[in-house]
């Protein structure tokens, strides 16, 4: 490890290696997926709530995000090092493979929050000009092409992405997501995140 490697990255790399040693292998994925399994799960169904699930995610969306991590357009100190040695063909192979994996079913949280979350997801909030999420992410959260799948995603990961959108730190994609994140209250964000996580 060089002196410039931040300590938390070293810890994460060790964590990844540890999980890999604990028997998480990359199933039948492309060789490049071996480096991802420790964090994103052997089949893309990550069990660590800060690491996004990739299984069943839209191929078009995955490929763009991977290219943006590689170029730095989507900034992540955790993801960037894993992109450095991968070719465009590797990224395409990874996006295609993860998109084909079967997503694990969602997890149901607080029923009171789910009700508010569902209302927001299906209808948005007219008073604050928040559009219906379903209009882009589909009623069942499965997404379409560049519109990310959101069904079954970890609440923790989603909350962090909303913080990044609202602060302008995640700006590689649709401007609409920054606007949406700015306009939603903390309670609304949590409710909609819980609802998306609960989708089958
Ligand atoms: C040390 C843990 C770790 C490893 C190893 C890792 N990732 Fe990630 N990955 C993360 C984290 C954390 C994020 C969220 C980063 C952010 O906020 O942008 C992420 C985000 C992603 C995303 C964006 C998902 C979305 O829904 O927008 C993709 C795609 C991805 N990783 C693919 C990969 C691939 C492919 C590999 C292997 C080549 C890999 N990751 C290796 C931790 C990891
Ligand atoms: C007009 C279309 C549109 C609407 C409406 C919309 N989104 Fe999005 N959303 C996108 C696109 C496109 C992306 C892909 C990422 C990007 O462009 O930054 C995205 C990305 C996301 C992500 C990041 C996914 C990931 O894996 O990192 C989340 C979470 C999300 N949207 C949730 C919502 C929620 C919740 C709502 C409703 C309150 C909503 N979106 C409304 C278009 C939309």
């Amino acid at each position: 490890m060089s002196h410039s490697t931040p300590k938390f990255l070293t810890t994460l790399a060790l964590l990844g290696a540890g999980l890999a040693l604990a028997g998480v292998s990359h199933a039948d994925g492309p060789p490049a997926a071996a480096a991802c399994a420790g964090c994103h799960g052997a089949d893309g169904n990550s069990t660590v709530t800060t690491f996004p699930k990739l299984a069943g995610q839209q191929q078009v969306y995955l490929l763009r995000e991977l290219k943006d991590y590689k170029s730095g357009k989507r900034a992540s100190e955790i993801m960037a090092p894993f992109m450095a040695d991968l070719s465009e063909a590797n990224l395409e192979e990874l996006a295609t493979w993860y998109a084909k994996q079967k997503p694990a079913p969602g997890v149901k949280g607080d029923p009171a929050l789910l009700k508010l979350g569902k209302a927001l997801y299906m209808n948005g909030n007219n008073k604050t000009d928040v559009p219906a999420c379903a209009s882009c992410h589909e009623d069942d959260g499965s997404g379409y092409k560049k519109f990310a799948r959101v069904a079954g995603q970890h609440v923790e990961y989603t909350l962090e992405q909303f913080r990044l959108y609202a602060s302008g730190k995640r700006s590689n994609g649709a401007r609409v997501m920054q606007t949406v994140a700015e306009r939603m209250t903390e309670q609304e964000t949590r409710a909609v995140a819980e609802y998306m996580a609960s989708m089958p």
Side-chain angles (χ1 to χ4, degrees):
M1 284 295 161
S2 81
H3 293 292
S4 60
T5 308
K7 199 168 178 190
F8 79 94
L9 278 183
T10 314
T11 312
L12 274 165
L14 290 173
L15 173 68
L19 289 170
L21 286 173
V24 185
S25 73
H26 63 105
D28 58 347
C36 325
C39 291
H40 292 288
D43 60 353
N45 283 300
S46 132
T47 53
V48 182
T49 58
T50 50
F51 301 150
K53 292 184 188 171
L54 308 176
Q57 181 54 278
Q58 294 291 325
Q59 196 268 356
V60 171
Y61 170 74
L62 283 174
L63 183 56
R64 197 199 56 197
E65 300 310 305
L66 290 174
K67 284 182 177 167
D68 286 357
Y69 281 130
K70 190 170 166 68
S71 74
K73 260 180 90 182
R74 180 172 174 185
S76 166
E77 286 176 319
I78 300 177
M79 276 297 295
F82 294 99
M83 298 292 105
D85 295 333
L86 299 179
S87 67
E88 194 125 325
N90 287 144
L91 299 186
E92 196 141 356
E93 206 176 35
L94 285 163
T96 303
W97 185 74
Y98 280 115
K100 282 197 197 126
Q101 301 313 299
K102 197 173 179 307
V107 183
K108 289 235 183 328
D110 180 352
L113 275 180
L114 290 185
K115 206 166 157 239
L116 170 63
K118 182 174 185 180
L120 272 163
Y121 187 87
M122 298 307 284
N123 310 314
N125 183 343
N126 286 337
K127 285 189 204 122
T128 50
D129 236 345
V130 171
C133 320
S135 65
C136 290
H137 294 282
E138 303 292 328
D139 285 2
D140 63 358
S142 58
Y144 180 71
K145 296 197 173 175
K146 70 174 181 170
F147 301 109
R149 174 188 175 87
V150 289
Q153 190 54 275
H154 295 301
V155 170
E156 227 62 59
Y157 168 75
T158 299
L159 293 179
E160 174 65 7
Q161 296 312 301
F162 265 73
R163 281 190 287 269
L164 294 173
Y165 279 130
S167 66
K169 286 187 185 138
R170 180 172 174 183
S171 59
N172 63 311
R175 170 75 198 142
V176 64
M177 282 313 303
Q178 288 172 255
T179 310
V180 163
E182 280 161 16
R183 289 179 186 166
M184 279 167 66
T185 66
E186 223 174 290
Q187 200 213 8
E188 285 178 324
T189 307
R190 180 162 279 278
V192 86
E194 291 274 358
Y195 177 65
M196 295 189 300
S198 78
M199 289 171 154

